[in-house]
Amino acid sequence: MSKVIFITGTSSGFGKLTTITLSKAGHTVIAGMRGISDKNKETAKELSALPNVDVVEIDVTNDTSVSNAFQQSLSKYGKIDVLVNNAGVTGFGLLEATSIDQIRKMFEVNFYGVIRTYQAVLPSMRKEKNGLIINITSGASAHTLPFMIPYLASKFGVESIAEGLQAELAQFNIENVTIQPGVYPTEMNNGSKPGIGADKPEVAAAYDPVATEMFNAIGSGLFGKMQEFDMNPQTIADGILNLVSMQEGTRPLRYPLDAIAQGTDIEFINARAEIKEKWLATYSG
């Protein structure tokens, strides 16, 4: 059955691929992005030419922009069956060398942006008593790594949102899923899309040479594995299509799509769920 699907961050990477994939599958796609009349004009034109794709302006860091985008879409289509929270920014660097302003900018996109879209779409989904919200997080968002602390904190925050809302929204038949993608060769990771990282080089210098050596080793390892496992971003777009196509009530809370993890991500998710059940039992019993 064809669905109306709103996707954020569709100017590149997973968002653009998902727009194309869902359009080909016959769904109506509302492709949200910034700068549809200037910096992303060509991409907006390209996606608008696809069947059943409607490109809309949205800046997830702006309350008014988010509200307008969803009001416009709901007025036009009457409902939104699926929301895909894909818009995000990355960034690297030592925590001490990253200003509060930089961290705040990252959270505005990765964390508060997700809350804004949830609050914009939930009234209509509650009215329909049906809905699916898919959040793109990170393969490491259930734990953390050096040099990526603010980024992974923002992504783990989204994991927390989805997990808590799974219970809050159950009575309205609204499902939440988080996708843990791991490392893929998208614009976010190849350097063509600027991130939000450390901005205090004088502080970072105090950690050298150890920090630089450690950072380079981690980076080489991650990107080496990305090449070894031939990580294809289309995997994420296909995974989103699969989630959309699943029967209601059968979708998992967490949906890892990281070949590099070789199943350890699934082990971690299952172990965490088991421990949580035991923890809840101690309080409810």
Side-chain angles (χ1 to χ4, degrees), residues 88-119:
V89 293
T90 189
F92 304 95
L94 293 155
L95 180 65
E96 187 187 347
T98 307
S99 68
I100 292 295
D101 284 342
Q102 286 290 87
I103 296 172
R104 185 179 291 115
K105 288 176 184 177
M106 180 171 287
F107 269 74
E108 281 293 343
V109 179
N110 294 353
F111 182 76
Y112 293 113
V114 168
I115 294 176
R116 289 185 181 97
T117 58
Y118 261 102
Q119 293 186 343

Side-chain angles (χ1 to χ4, degrees), residues 6-72:
F6 194 114
I7 310 172
T8 65
T10 59
S11 65
S12 63
F14 297 145
K16 184 177 181 181
L17 280 175
T18 301
T19 298
I20 296 168
T21 301
L22 294 177
S23 170
K24 288 180 178 178
H27 296 289
T28 296
V29 181
I30 305 163
M33 70 178 78
R34 294 182 300 167
I36 63 175
S37 59
D38 42 71
K39 71 174 184 176
N40 288 320
K41 182 178 180 179
E42 291 305 312
T43 303
K45 183 178 179 181
E46 176 188 351
L47 293 182
S48 294
L50 297 174
N52 306 313
V53 173
D54 186 7
V55 177
V56 299
E57 178 77 28
I58 184 171
D59 177 353
V60 299
T61 70
N62 184 284
D63 293 355
T64 301
S65 177
V66 172
S67 178
N68 288 344
F70 279 88
Q71 286 180 10
Q72 172 187 330

Side-chain angles (χ1 to χ4, degrees), residues 141-169:
S141 58
H143 43 89
T144 193
L145 294 170
F147 310 108
M148 298 181 69
I149 295 171
Y151 172 72
L152 293 174
S154 69
K155 290 297 187 177
F156 186 68
V158 176
E159 292 280 350
S160 177
I161 291 170
E163 184 173 327
L165 280 176
Q166 193 77 328
E168 291 185 7
L169 297 175

